[in-house]
Amino acid sequence: MNNHVTVLEIDKSALRYNLSFFKHKLLPTTKILVVVKAFGYGSDAVKIAGSIEKEVDYFAVAYTDEGINLRESGITKPILILHPQIQNLKKVQEYQLEPNLYNFKIFDAFVALCKQQNLTKYPIHLKFNTGLNRIGFWHTDIPVLLSKIKETASLKITSIFSHLAASEDLQEKEFTKNQINDFKSIAKQLKENLTDSPFLHLLNTSGIINYPEAQFDMVRLGIGLYGFANDTETTRQLKNVLTLKSVISQIHLIEPDESVGYNRAYIATKPMRTATIPIGHADGFPRTFGNGVGGIYINKEYAPVVGNVCMDMIMVDVTHIECNEGDEIVVFDSQEKLEELAQKTNTISYELLTNLSPRIKRLLKC
Ligand SMILES: *Cc1c(COP(=O)(O)O)cnc(C)c1O
């Protein structure tokens, strides 16, 4: 039971709005996979998946235990494990998860395990590297891969996919178009030689926005669901899903020459008021927000961090804000506020969100 007063609210109707926003950008026949890796981008994978399960075709997570967690919470839709590890393949089968097989080592291990367990036609997905150079078979692997597939009855080649390296960056349009073309030719070679008819998918959030012509049979929606599109214009059309809130624990009156916080990093030059808030770097409020870099909002007024960010708390300057102990504060309640915070510490919305620690209470608002 999490009784923390620092709360991440998840707005279910905004989530559903964003899902339908992306659906409307696609052909009605295009399937939707929702990526809920990293605890649903730092929110709550089970709450997210549960809220939209009926509206989507597939879920994906990065690692096997994330898929197990969804299954144990009652999610029954197919779950693609993007980066399964060989030692977890037995669990993958036990929980009817669908692995991405991305090189011969994991392919062979999975086929061997299927044989040992007497499993046939087990749904798997093949990932190809078309330029990200992260994980995936190379196009030159196709002949050997095809011969291995023909030799086994263990697998059902359910889909073929790849991942774009710079879908949000229109300066890399030429590179991306090459990735799309390479993927097409890889898929063609495979489909011509397979008895299964695998479906194809390539696009993430920014891919859906910038390259809808490459939607193939399914898309993989991640950050967009939470209202972030890596593009100001589209982000504005999405609804904010996540709100991080807390309350003021204590207010202090600080005299000139007194210091605030660890290492006496802040020394007051004039009389001031500070508010102590129960969120710190252990909660995912980065220490780099200290000393005025980051801040929070009280009644829509901005209060910058005073001194260093502690593990469990921050002190903020409220000299100019009328407020009391127990009042609500907001860390972010819009995409703009989160993007601004991310920029201040040289990162992206993805990292700030996924760093929100499990200590913060998650609340689904219907
Ligand atoms: C994380 C991930 C996605 C989702 O990306 P977004 O930019 O969040 O939409 C899609 N596909 C793969 C392979 C991923 O790893």
Side-chain angles (χ1 to χ4, degrees), residues 33-37 41 60-62 80 82 100 127 132 134-135 161-164 167-168 201-208 219-226 228 230 350:
L33 173 151
V34 163
V35 183
V36 290
K37 62 193 176 189
Y41 288 55
V61 290
L80 164 58
L82 293 166
N100 163 25
K127 187 173 199 183
L132 181 59
R134 189 170 69 177
I135 55 173
F161 72 113
S162 185
H163 194 38
L164 297 175
S167 58
E168 73 277 27
H201 47 114
L202 176 66
L203 303 180
N204 64 343
T205 298
S206 297
I208 299 170
V219 296
R220 301 187 304 271
L221 179 64
I223 195 90
L225 197 60
Y226 308 92
F228 298 88
N230 304 319
Y350 296 76

Side-chain angles (χ1 to χ4, degrees), residues 2-227:
N2 186 332
N3 292 320
H4 213 49
V5 297
T6 301
V7 174
L8 184 72
E9 286 179 358
I10 305 167
D11 184 336
K12 186 167 161 175
S13 64
L15 191 76
R16 295 166 72 97
Y17 177 92
N18 293 342
L19 178 62
S20 92
F21 175 92
F22 285 98
K23 274 193 177 174
H24 281 102
K25 292 208 167 287
L26 300 164
L27 296 169
T29 45
T30 305
K31 287 201 258 281
I32 303 242
L33 173 151
V34 163
V35 183
V36 290
K37 62 193 176 189
F39 303 103
Y41 288 55
S43 62
D44 185 317
V46 171
K47 289 188 169 78
I48 299 289
S51 300
I52 51 171
E53 183 168 17
K54 286 198 185 76
E55 278 83 24
V56 306
D57 301 282
Y58 253 85
F59 290 109
V61 290
Y63 296 108
T64 307
D65 55 342
E66 298 179 309
I68 293 173
N69 183 37
L70 290 178
R71 281 280 180 263
E72 287 188 331
S73 310
I75 299 295
T76 55
K77 281 274 157 81
I79 300 171
L80 164 58
I81 310 292
L82 293 166
H83 198 187
Q85 306 294 307
I86 286 177
Q87 69 269 27
N88 295 330
L89 290 179
K90 215 164 175 172
K91 288 276 180 206
V92 164
Q93 295 179 347
E94 199 179 310
Y95 285 85
Q96 287 167 301
L97 305 168
E98 302 184 6
N100 163 25
L101 303 181
Y102 56 89
N103 67 7
F104 287 121
K105 193 172 165 72
I106 195 162
F107 182 96
D108 292 342
F110 195 76
V111 170
L113 193 63
C114 284
K115 266 198 189 140
Q116 193 196 320
Q117 303 291 318
N118 279 321
L119 293 170
T120 55
K121 292 260 151 226
Y122 195 101
I124 65 101
H125 304 261
L126 295 175
K127 187 173 199 183
F128 279 81
N129 174 25
T130 53
L132 181 59
N133 290 326
R134 189 170 69 177
I135 55 173
F137 284 105
W138 285 75
H139 70 96
T140 46
D141 293 329
I142 291 175
V144 178
L145 185 59
L146 280 172
S147 71
K148 280 178 186 277
I149 292 169
K150 282 201 182 105
E151 277 165 23
T152 176
S154 300
L155 306 181
K156 177 175 195 287
I157 314 301
T158 304
S159 86
I160 299 165
F161 72 113
S162 185
H163 194 38
L164 297 175
S167 58
E168 73 277 27
D169 185 354
L170 294 177
Q171 306 222 323
E172 295 291 356
K173 216 167 189 161
E174 201 185 317
F175 182 91
T176 304
K177 296 219 154 159
N178 280 333
Q179 275 197 280
I180 294 169
N181 285 334
D182 288 351
F183 179 62
K184 271 187 194 155
S185 99
I186 288 166
K188 185 165 179 276
Q189 280 181 68
L190 286 161
K191 287 185 78 158
E192 280 171 1
N193 290 285
L194 288 172
T195 47
D196 294 327
S197 20
F199 60 89
L200 309 179
H201 47 114
L202 176 66
L203 303 180
N204 64 343
T205 298
S206 297
I208 299 170
I209 294 160
N210 295 324
Y211 303 94
E213 70 277 12
Q215 63 191 268
F216 297 102
D217 305 307
M218 185 168 83
V219 296
R220 301 187 304 271
L221 179 64
I223 195 90
L225 197 60
Y226 308 92

